[in-house]
Structure formats: C-alpha cells, structure tokens
Amino acid sequence: MKDYTITDAVLVNNYIKGDESALSTLIERHKQRIYSFIYSKVFDRDVSEDIFQDTFIKVIRTLKLGKYNEEGKFLPWVMRIAHNLVIDHFRKGNRMPKFEDNGEFSIFSIISDGDLNAEKRIIKDQVEEDLRNLIQELPEDQKEVLVMRMYRDMSFKEISDKTGVSINTALGRMRYALINLRKVIEKNNIVLTN
C-alpha cells in the first residue's frame, strides 16, 4: 500500500528535524522510479545499485547541510541528482571504443562508434523527458496543438481539420503553448540543452 497522505515536503522537513524514518519513507516511495530511471541509462544492475546509493548519499548530505531548497519538487530534484551521477559514471568509466583488429586503423571506426555518444544520448533523453513533463502542464487545447505540430509533424491545415477550429485559432494555440512553456522554463530556471 502506498501512503501518500504525508507529502514529500513534510517528510523532508521531518527528516531535517531528526526523524530518520521520514527518509526511509521517501526512499521507499520513490525507489522504483529512481532505480528504473538509472537502470534505463546504464543497463547494469550493480552499477545501477551503486548510482542509486550514491544518489541518496548526496540527498542525505544536502539535507543535513540545510542546502535543500523546498519547492515541493523533491522527486525531480532527486532525479536530477541521479541523472548527474549517471553522466559522471560515463565520464569516469574508460569508455574507449572497441575496434576490430583487421590490421588497419581507421578514424571512421571511432566516429561511427555509438558508445562515444552515450553521454550526449543520456542528456538528450533527459531533455526530451523534461520537455514532455512541461508539455503536460499546458492547457489541454494548447497541448493538443503542440503535440500534433511538433511530434506528429502535422500542418496547421491538418490540425485545423482534426480539431475543428480555424487555422488562425490553431496558430494562436501554438503560439500560447510556446509562450507558456517559455514562462515555466524561465520561472523554474530549467536548462534545456543537449
């Protein structure tokens, strides 16, 4: 049974005040999602376990030092820590490409090696996930137009036909969707780069 009657914010506050069980509740509540996220990037159970533990060591240190800024965003904050540790893992690990030894060395065998771009791929995946989460915050009519245009590559004429609104209305909804996304990104100081 999941007990969400006590919010993450209250649990964080209780932990900071010395209630160790509050942290256990937070870990129990979110461990599946955090571990799954880590595993989906590294595809190794042992490495995932290590990164998961390192994530919560960082969480504990930050909370104990009083450096956590509570804005009701505990899980996204922990996910960001996990994400950064995954990137550190790829940076630290000697991810040298493996070459077939056919007697001749080719620079193109390095360029075509997909493993070299693992870090960029992780960052791109995280940016795309962050963006999908932001899009979910939009009003339904704006979200619908934005998804049709950006993800389904539909023209405004097609969007107009599908939604039953004029092309100008579809254009307006797209414009407001982008304005609202920009506001949320700026308000929360979100960095979307890859």
Side-chain angles (χ1 to χ4, degrees):
M1 184 190 103
K2 292 183 178 178
D3 180 23
Y4 286 98
T5 53
I6 302 173
T7 65
D8 288 352
V10 170
L11 288 167
V12 167
N13 211 14
N14 291 349
Y15 176 71
I16 291 169
K17 290 178 182 169
D19 177 6
E20 295 292 326
S21 69
L23 184 68
S24 299
T25 305
L26 282 166
I27 293 172
E28 196 58 40
R29 182 178 288 177
H30 299 298
K31 75 177 180 188
Q32 187 60 49
R33 187 154 176 215
I34 296 164
Y35 180 85
S36 297
F37 166 76
I38 296 167
Y39 186 80
S40 74
K41 305 302 176 198
V42 299
F43 300 108
D44 181 303
R45 293 206 181 284
D46 293 333
V47 172
S48 296
E49 279 293 324
D50 290 346
I51 293 174
F52 180 83
Q53 289 176 3
D54 289 346
T55 299
F56 275 94
I57 289 169
K58 259 195 158 156
V59 166
I60 291 166
R61 278 197 193 122
T62 305
L63 293 175
K64 295 261 187 207
L65 291 171
K67 291 185 177 177
Y68 175 63
N69 180 9
E70 174 53 58
E71 291 174 359
K73 299 194 184 331
F74 178 76
L75 181 60
W77 173 66
V78 176
M79 294 293 266
R80 182 64 67 189
I81 291 172
H83 170 252
N84 290 341
L85 289 171
V86 167
I87 290 174
D88 289 349
H89 162 74
F90 282 110
R91 281 189 184 136
K92 268 189 275 185
N94 291 326
R95 298 273 183 256
M96 293 305 291
K98 293 171 183 64
F99 306 107
E100 290 177 22
D101 187 10
N102 59 1
E104 60 183 70
F105 173 77
S106 167
I107 188 67
F108 295 103
S109 62
I110 295 176
I111 293 169
S112 64
D113 187 11
D115 288 346
L116 285 178
N117 292 323
E119 180 185 341
K120 282 185 178 166
R121 201 167 47 247
I122 286 171
I123 293 170
K124 180 178 179 286
D125 289 348
Q126 184 63 46
V127 167
E128 286 172 0
E129 184 182 332
D130 289 346
L131 192 54
R132 277 193 298 274
N133 291 337
L134 291 174
I135 290 168
Q136 291 307 313
E137 307 283 318
L138 291 173
E140 204 54 48
D141 57 344
Q142 294 173 20
K143 179 171 42 173
E144 180 184 37
V145 171
L146 186 124
V147 168
M148 286 180 187
R149 181 78 181 126
M150 304 309 287
Y151 291 97
R152 297 188 192 142
D153 205 25
M154 293 170 72
S155 71
F156 282 105
K157 169 88 174 90
E158 293 169 319
I159 293 169
S160 167
D161 293 344
K162 179 108 173 131
T163 58
V165 298
S166 71
I167 293 176
N168 281 342
T169 301
L171 284 165
R173 287 178 181 174
M174 182 69 182
R175 181 172 170 266
Y176 283 117
L178 295 174
I179 289 169
N180 287 330
L181 276 178
R182 194 171 292 123
K183 281 181 189 169
V184 173
I185 289 167
E186 287 170 7
K187 184 178 136 209
N188 296 302
N189 291 321
I190 297 169
V191 179
L192 293 174
T193 58
N194 66 15

